[in-house]
Structures are given as C-alpha cells and as structure tokens.
Amino acid sequence: MNSETPLEMVLAVIALIAVAAVCVVLVWNHVRVRRLSKQVERLRSERQLLVDRVDQLKTQVDEQSGDAAGRHEVALVINPVKNRADEVRKQVLAAARDMGMGEVLVLETTEEDPGTQMAADAKAAGVRVVIAAGGDGTVRTVAEQLVGTDVRLGIVPMGTGNLLARNLDLPITDFGACIAAALNGTTKTIDTLDVRLEGEDGERHRHTAVVIGGVGLDAEVMGDTRDDLKARAGWIAYGEAGLRHLPGDRQDATITMDGGSPRRYKVRSVLVANCGTLQGGLELLPDAKPDDGLLDVMVLSPRHVLDWARIAANTLVGHRVKIPVMETLQGTRVQVRFDKPIVSQLDGDSTGEVVGIDARLVADSLTVMLPR
C-alpha cells in the first residue's frame, strides 16, 4: 500500500478544487449563454414586432393620405342636356376652388336616371353637400337620397318649374348666387313627403316628394306638356296642356286624414303638398310651407267649365272665399283610394297610374343650403 505525503494530499485537494471550479465556471457560462440567447431571441422578436407595427402605421398613414387626397367635400349632380349646363359646371368648379373646397365630384344624370344613383354615389363618397343642378325631377331624386342624413342639398335651378327653389326664395335667375349659397350659405331644415303609390296590381312603390304630388288633371298636364313649347315659352307651356286636358270626368275617391273617418268625393284632381307656390308666384296652397310640420291636401271636384272659372278666380284672389268644389285639408298623413286607376305625378315627374296614395309628412328631414 502506497503512502501519500501530506504535500501530495494537499496538491490533490487543490487539483480537485480547481477542477470543480472550472466545472462551475463552465456550467455558469453555459447557463449565462443560454439566458443571453433567449434574451437575444426575445429582443429580435420584439424588434420584428416593432418593425411590423411601424410598417403597418406607415401603410395606414399612406392610405389616409390617399383618402384625404381623393376625398371630395362637394358633389355636383347635373343634368347635362339642360341649357347652360356647361356654364354651371364651370362656375361650380371655379367657386369651389376659390373657396378652398378642393376638387368637385361631378356626376351627370342620364335619360334613364335623373339623379338617384348619382346622389347615392355622392353620399357614399362622403361629401358634405350635393348640388342638384337641373329641373324639379333632378332636385327631387337627389333629395330622396339625402333625406334623414346630414348631407346638405344645394340647388341650382335649371328647369321650367323650379318649384322647390321658388318656395325657398332662391334667386332662380342668378346661377352665381345659387352656387354661392350652395357652397357657403346658411342651412335650413325642411320637411319632406314620404309617398307610397299603389298600382292596380297591388304593388307599392315608395318615393320622396319635396314640393307637390297629385293625381288627375295635374298629372295629365305634367305628362303631356310639349317639350318644344317648354323650351320656347317656359312654364306657360303647362297652361296650354291644361286647356287641352280641362274637360274630363270626375272619379270616385275615398280620402282619410290622419286615420280619421273616410270621406267620399268625386274628384277631378287631388293634390298633396309640402309647399304651395307655383310658377309665376301663384299661391295654389297659401298655407303650405316647407317647414310647418304639416302636409296640405287640395281636392278639386268641378262639374263644368263654370266651376273651373270659380276655382281659377279664387286662386288668383288668394283663396278668400271657400267654394264647395275646392276643398283644402291639413294634417300629417293622407290616404286616398280610387275606384279606378288614375294617372299620378310627383314634383312634376309622371309616376304612372295608381289606385291608392299614402302620403306622410316627415318633419325636419332634409337640410338645404340658402343664401346668407
């Protein structure tokens, strides 16, 4: 058996301690390296997340910048066949540019669509105001799309009747003033009519009217006014058509106001109005105002030419006398049923034959732009 000296034992212990120390250092370094590796991986992952987030934010900024560059504040829905349409278009574009409103979204009506889809497209584009440049048909169809929204309606009257413009006291002979009002005027909230027309087949069609709808004589006149005469003589052309259609049979009708008791009439014409001023300043329904929260109904039941003369005279003198063949009613809803189909119109647009009308007043439903 070999005996070890104390020195050898000390050296052996020192060697063991050294080996143990080296092992500890190696293990510690290994653990430290693994920890550092995990930290590096975490930092790399966080860095990638930050890079991805920055890229996402840059994309959003670019998209928003693109949207802002392409966003329109003003839309112009214009009937391109109207006289002076090109002039109106240029004036609107120039006025919007001068007022710092950017590029105007210009949408032209067609023979098939007087403005419905164009106004819907303008609304979808996020514009603040839609200018309807055309006749009563264009104004009505554009207004129909804007009812109940915060998009404002501007009007440049280019038609024969221009009835809403007249009832709002717009300067109908001054395009520049109407354009200025549409772009930088004051706002006014008005009522509209929610009208449901029922055909002989029972199918119902829903429309909006802003001025006046009717059946019978007025619809016959609107549907048979000569375009060539309108171009030469303006609104006087309606008088010529009226004289041609004045003779005609009365029809049986049932009228119900605000859900009350039905009343039977023999009518030549029934008018449902939101406002009552016609061409030439004629007050057909003096109490009908576009912001009074009421709709007005006129029932005309003349039996012969003398009755028509009485109706005309009473209208000219401001309805000072009540006559049996000319009755006016007021309320918020009117329902009219006819025993036979009868022609109809809304704001001057022919809407075919109907056997029923259900019209309701929608208060404060449309915002229009007026001169300051």
Side-chain angles (χ1 to χ4, degrees):
M1 180 175 179
N2 294 329
S3 60
E4 296 179 349
T5 64
L7 179 60
E8 291 174 337
M9 293 179 64
V10 170
L11 291 174
V13 170
I14 292 173
L16 288 173
I17 292 173
V19 170
V22 170
C23 289
V24 169
V25 170
L26 290 174
V27 170
W28 183 83
N29 282 337
H30 178 71
V31 172
R32 184 168 177 270
V33 168
R34 291 193 63 182
R35 287 179 178 175
L36 289 174
S37 297
K38 289 181 178 180
Q39 289 178 355
V40 169
E41 289 298 324
R42 187 176 70 252
L43 290 173
R44 284 176 177 172
S45 177
E46 291 176 353
R47 177 182 178 278
Q48 187 59 47
L49 289 174
L50 288 173
V51 170
D52 292 343
R53 180 57 178 162
V54 169
D55 290 341
Q56 183 182 12
L57 291 173
K58 287 176 64 178
T59 300
Q60 290 178 355
V61 169
D62 291 341
E63 289 176 350
Q64 291 174 0
S65 298
D67 288 345
R71 186 178 297 127
H72 300 277
E73 188 174 357
V74 178
L76 171 65
V77 177
I78 187 168
N79 185 340
V81 303
K82 289 293 185 182
N83 188 31
R84 301 175 66 187
D86 289 339
E87 176 187 344
V88 168
R89 183 200 307 260
K90 292 176 182 177
Q91 286 191 41
V92 171
L93 298 182
R97 183 175 59 251
D98 292 344
M99 294 181 187
M101 292 183 170
E103 184 180 356
V104 176
L105 176 62
V106 179
L107 301 164
E108 293 186 351
T109 66
T110 64
E111 187 175 354
E112 296 77 21
D113 185 348
T116 299
Q117 187 59 52
M118 299 79 194
D121 290 344
K123 184 172 61 174
V127 301
R128 180 180 62 85
V129 59
V130 179
I131 301 175
D136 291 319
T138 299
V139 172
R140 186 190 71 80
T141 51
V142 171
E144 188 169 57
Q145 294 298 312
L146 304 186
V147 166
T149 74
D150 58 359
V151 183
R152 303 165 184 176
L153 172 67
I155 302 172
V156 180
M158 301 172 63
T160 305
N162 302 317
L163 294 183
L164 183 59
R166 293 178 189 274
N167 281 273
L168 295 175
D169 294 324
L170 281 170
I172 61 174
T173 60
D174 189 340
F175 287 161
C178 289
I179 292 169
L183 295 175
N184 192 34
T186 185
T187 60
K188 179 181 178 67
T189 304
I190 66 171
D191 309 329
T192 59
L193 299 177
D194 179 7
V195 184
R196 294 165 173 84
L197 301 176
E198 182 179 343
E200 189 176 12
D201 58 0
E203 187 174 354
R204 295 187 177 187
H205 298 277
R206 187 174 181 179
H207 303 275
T208 292
V210 291
V211 181
I212 191 167
V215 296
L217 176 64
D218 64 299
E220 294 169 6
V221 170
M222 294 298 176
D224 196 32
T225 301
R226 292 164 45 193
D227 290 336
D228 60 333
L229 190 57
K230 283 170 62 176
R232 295 197 309 269
W235 61 267
I236 296 175
Y238 294 113
E240 184 271 339
L243 289 175
R244 285 190 283 112
H245 286 275
L246 199 60
D249 296 330
R250 298 188 300 173
Q251 291 223 31
D252 292 314
T254 302
I255 300 178
T256 305
M257 292 295 300
D258 293 333
S261 300
R263 295 176 58 187
R264 292 287 290 176
Y265 292 86
K266 283 189 174 295
V267 303
R268 183 67 180 91
S269 187
V270 179
L271 303 171
V272 182
N274 185 41
C275 38
T277 301
L278 303 183
Q279 298 92 332
L282 182 66
E283 294 282 354
L284 181 64
L285 285 156
D287 294 332
K289 305 299 179 185
D291 58 353
D292 62 358
L294 295 169
L295 59 78
D296 292 69
V297 179
M298 175 172 281
V299 183
L300 300 177
S301 53
R303 297 156 296 181
H304 39 63
V305 175
L306 181 58
D307 281 344
W308 277 119
R310 295 170 66 192
I311 290 172
N314 198 41
T315 302
L316 291 173
V317 299
H319 302 268
R320 296 177 184 174
V321 180
K322 289 186 177 181
I323 55 178
V325 294
M326 185 182 191
E327 184 174 350
T328 57
L329 309 166
Q330 271 192 331
T332 58
R333 181 182 182 185
V334 61
Q335 296 164 280
V336 188
R337 301 291 304 180
F338 302 97
D339 290 2
K340 297 189 300 183
I342 187 170
V343 292
S344 65
Q345 63 85 19
L346 291 176
D347 290 358
D349 285 341
S350 295
T351 45
E353 290 191 337
V354 300
V355 295
I357 298 176
D358 185 353
R360 312 175 194 208
L361 192 285
V362 186
D364 299 331
S365 53
L366 179 66
T367 302
V368 296
M369 299 296 294
L370 301 178
R372 290 185 179 276

